[in-house]
Amino acid sequence: MNEAVLVIEDEPKIARLLELELQYEGYQVTKAGSGTEGLEKYSEGQWDLILLDIMLPGLSGIEVLRRIRARDAVIPILMLTAKDSVEDKVSGLDLGANDYITKPFQIEELLARVRAALRLAAAASARTTVQNFGQMAEQGTASQLHEAEEAWLTAADLKLHEGTREVSRDGQAIELTPREFDLLVYLLRNQRQVLSRDQIVQSVWGYDYYGDTNVVDVYIRYLRKKVDNGFTPPLIHTVRGVGYVLKEQS
């Protein structure tokens, strides 16, 4: 995956979050903090997708969208904004935005929309850098199947295979997002060890993650809903004041 994404967003925390999450998924990311800077960087590079905030200093997102569409009718553009009025949505879509995401948003939903926009662009245009996006993912999975025979990671009736990315509990298949999968892998590899939030952030999100470690609590909650809810015994446990541990209760 080498798709180049231009993020035009003036809120530093949101821009940094988008940058980290998109880079984690394998995209090349460039940021711009104003409409003027965003238009300049658009002109200087070759982009496969643009995430564009509406409320920007300099040129507004709507004006940036209008100018880009005057030059390029193909590149996918996803609008980001705290506004949710019908007028804003209609204005952006009428000017050629491919999708419209209202803040606050779930990062997994945004990533899904990015993937969908790239797939549609690949089918509708001759841009070689975004063609066969879905095939690339399938080929990546196929190569994992042929490359190695990784051992299953298990705890009680929970099973995970890193090569095939299969996860099940008590024979029931479990669908995880990429981040949830990586978190579960880390917990399983270190089961029965109490892991601090800092340890988890550094190992799962990376050493260059500058966000709040509360993100761990959020993803642990997501994971528990899928891995523990409805199953016995619970495997993911909170160690008050320290962090989390995955283990079978004695």
Side-chain angles (χ1 to χ4, degrees):
M1 180 187 301
N2 295 306
E3 288 90 347
V5 177
L6 175 60
V7 176
I8 308 175
E9 168 60 65
D10 65 319
E11 296 184 42
K13 289 185 179 179
I14 294 178
R16 179 58 176 160
L17 172 65
L18 291 171
E19 179 183 37
L20 289 171
E21 293 289 349
L22 288 165
Q23 286 178 341
Y24 181 82
E25 296 299 321
Y27 301 102
Q28 298 178 23
V29 182
T30 299
K31 296 183 296 181
S34 71
T36 304
E37 182 186 8
L39 199 58
E40 291 174 352
K41 289 191 174 180
Y42 163 76
S43 300
E44 295 168 356
Q46 293 292 323
W47 312 102
D48 300 302
L49 182 138
I50 297 173
L51 289 175
L52 175 62
D53 189 20
I54 281 191
M55 300 296 291
L56 291 170
L59 295 174
S60 72
I62 291 294
E63 180 60 20
V64 173
L65 172 65
R66 187 187 66 78
R67 296 191 187 190
I68 291 175
R69 278 290 176 250
R71 300 166 56 180
D72 188 338
V74 175
I75 185 171
I77 301 176
L78 277 61
M79 304 297 291
L80 304 175
T81 183
K83 290 187 175 182
D84 59 358
S85 70
V86 173
E87 291 80 8
D88 290 324
K89 293 181 179 180
V90 170
S91 179
L93 294 172
D94 280 351
L95 285 171
N98 297 78
D99 205 346
Y100 197 100
I101 304 172
T102 303
K103 302 174 187 175
F105 50 79
Q106 293 290 333
I107 192 65
E108 295 299 336
E109 178 187 3
L110 183 141
L111 292 173
R113 294 194 186 195
V114 166
R115 291 191 293 268
L118 287 169
R119 286 196 298 268
L120 288 172
S125 73
R127 292 176 63 89
T128 58
T129 54
V130 295
Q131 286 179 338
N132 303 319
F133 179 79
Q135 293 177 8
M136 289 171 64
E138 293 172 3
Q139 290 169 359
T141 302
S143 66
Q144 287 179 326
L145 289 168
H146 293 293
E147 280 176 1
E149 292 286 336
E150 294 97 343
W152 286 90
L153 297 175
T154 63
D157 53 358
L158 174 65
K159 298 175 62 179
L160 178 150
H161 196 289
E162 291 185 79
T164 63
R165 301 185 76 85
E166 293 175 81
V167 181
S168 67
R169 185 154 189 198
D170 193 24
Q172 298 182 39
I174 297 173
E175 294 293 329
L176 299 179
T177 66
R179 188 74 74 188
E180 291 166 352
F181 182 87
D182 291 345
L183 176 57
L184 184 57
V185 167
Y186 183 63
L187 293 173
L188 282 167
R189 284 179 177 173
N190 296 276
Q191 57 185 289
R192 294 180 295 280
Q193 296 183 41
V194 178
L195 303 168
S196 70
R197 291 173 178 80
D198 285 333
Q199 285 177 299
I200 295 172
V201 164
Q202 290 176 5
S203 298
V204 178
W205 276 262
Y207 286 93
D208 59 350
Y209 177 73
Y210 298 119
D212 199 315
T213 57
N214 286 341
V215 70
V216 174
D217 302 326
V218 173
Y219 274 85
I220 286 289
R221 186 168 69 251
Y222 293 160
L223 204 54
R224 276 176 167 156
K225 288 181 179 179
K226 297 181 178 182
V227 170
D228 275 348
N229 284 10
F231 298 101
T232 302
L235 297 175
I236 302 173
H237 306 279
T238 301
V239 180
R240 196 173 300 277
V242 182
Y244 298 96
V245 59
L246 188 149
K247 66 176 182 179
E248 298 180 53
Q249 289 179 323
S250 57

